[in-house]
Structure formats: C-alpha cells, structure tokens
Amino acid sequence: MTTDTAPIRVFRGAEVAPHLAAVAALRMQVFRDFPYLYDGDAEYERNYLAAYADSADSVFVLAFEDEAVVGAATGIPLAQDGAAFQAPFRQRGLPVGDVFYFGESVVLPSYRGRGLGHAFFDAREKHARELGFKMTAFCAVDRAEDDPRRPAEYQPNDAFWRKRGYARQPGMTMRLAWRKVGSDRETGNDLTFWLRRWEPA
C-alpha cells in the first residue's frame, strides 16, 4: 500500500518488533506538541508498545521514507487494553468485546496533509472488520478553545474524524496522567472517545 507520500506497511502483533523503538521515538516527538504536550517517558513507551505487540490481534500501520518510520498508527481489541480505556464503555453499557480500539495516529509534520491519515484509518478499519468487530473507537485529549498553550495555527482533527464516520461521545471520558512539557510532575488529562458503529459485512 502506498500514498503520494510514503509506502505503508501493515504489521500484526509481534511482526512489528524490529520497528518498536522507532515508533516509540515518533510518539514522543509528535505528542510533545499541542494538544498533548507530552514530555515523553521512554520506559512507559516500551511497556505501552510491548503490550500491543504481545497481542496476536493488534495492528501497526507504519509509513516509511526509505527505512525510516515517518508515521505510525496502532490498534488493539479493547478487551485487551487497560481498565481505564474500557471503563467508559462499560459505564455506557457497550460490550467491550465488540470494540476495536485505535491507539494513535502520529505523523511527522513534513508528511502531513498527503493522505497518510486516511490510509491509516483505512488499514485499521479493514483489520478490525476482518476480525468481526462491530465498533471502532479512539480517544482524543480535551483542551479548551482558549487554552493559552494553543498555537495560533493549530487546527483540530474533528472535521476529519467526522468525515470518517466517527462521532464524539460526550460523557465517555477517561482521565490519564502524564508529565507535560515544562512540568516536573504528572498531571491529569481528560480524553473523550469517538466511536463508529459498523453494519454487518
């Protein structure tokens, strides 16, 4: 699979092992910017990505420039993710076993706007549907419109996600802590889920 930017390769579970360090570095670089402002933790990244790689049903969709990873997206059955990710679904009465969760979609700035976002969603949705999942979902951090840390040129992805058929689920929010850029301690962050339901194939 290719875009007009870079070739895309799809890996399942442990197949991604040779590229995990590159994905971790990419996550720390991209999530350092607004809205996540994540001051990366290498140990957390290793553990987080290892859990995905340990799942036989997980998916990694990577974009390459030569052999360098310039974009990455992941997914895993929600039932295999942590309790914090499952809790909003259980509270809403949605079966966790019906949901395939998209972990992240990160692309280096110079490769954005060239089709990688759609390619990442296409590949993960195809993977989830082949496994028989009825819903795909992801979460995004909540930041106020007037957040003083928001760059003037920042554009949220909400319109893109809606065009992909996803709907934000008010009230389906979890709270995760991480150390933000410029801070010496972890603080909480609210993340709200977006959901798409799939008709039977």
Side-chain angles (χ1 to χ4, degrees):
M1 183 189 304
T2 62
T3 67
D4 60 1
T5 301
I8 302 292
R9 301 181 204 166
V10 179
F11 303 86
R12 187 163 176 166
E15 294 173 351
V16 79
H19 304 291
L20 284 181
V23 175
L26 182 64
R27 276 174 45 88
M28 288 191 288
Q29 179 176 348
V30 172
F31 283 148
R32 189 173 180 85
D33 294 335
F34 188 88
Y36 286 87
L37 302 169
Y38 168 57
D39 191 358
D41 182 312
E43 181 178 1
Y44 172 83
E45 293 298 320
R46 284 194 297 271
N47 293 336
Y48 167 81
L49 291 171
Y52 273 62
D54 285 345
S55 167
D57 290 329
S58 70
V59 65
F60 289 77
V61 189
L62 307 185
F64 292 86
E65 180 66 44
D66 296 324
E67 289 304 309
V69 177
V70 299
T74 67
I76 194 170
L78 182 61
Q80 297 176 22
D81 212 330
F85 292 82
Q86 298 175 17
F89 292 84
R90 297 188 187 281
Q91 292 164 5
R92 184 67 65 89
L94 297 173
V96 168
D98 288 351
V99 183
F100 193 83
Y101 173 71
F102 294 165
E104 69 275 293
S105 183
V106 289
V107 179
L108 290 177
S110 59
Y111 291 86
R112 295 173 190 167
R114 304 184 187 182
L116 286 176
H118 282 296
F120 285 166
F121 269 90
D122 288 344
R124 291 182 296 177
E125 289 168 352
K126 179 177 183 289
H127 178 85
R129 298 199 74 191
E130 287 176 347
L131 291 175
F133 286 92
K134 298 177 181 178
M135 291 175 273
T136 50
F138 60 89
C139 62
V141 68
D142 299 329
R143 298 288 185 226
E145 288 285 336
D146 61 352
D147 192 313
R149 301 164 299 184
R150 180 186 179 112
E153 70 279 8
Y154 173 74
Q155 294 292 329
N157 290 318
D158 298 34
F160 169 76
W161 293 331
R162 291 190 181 99
K163 288 179 181 177
R164 294 289 318 189
Y166 291 83
R168 189 173 184 273
Q169 305 296 311
M172 286 188 65
T173 300
M174 67 175 177
R175 192 163 180 80
L176 295 179
W178 61 77
R179 188 175 69 243
K180 290 191 276 294
V181 175
S183 176
D184 59 358
R185 61 187 179 88
E186 291 189 346
T187 54
N189 303 269
D190 291 332
L191 298 96
T192 297
F193 281 87
W194 292 66
L195 178 66
R196 179 173 181 178
R197 297 176 185 269
W198 295 92
E199 297 296 331

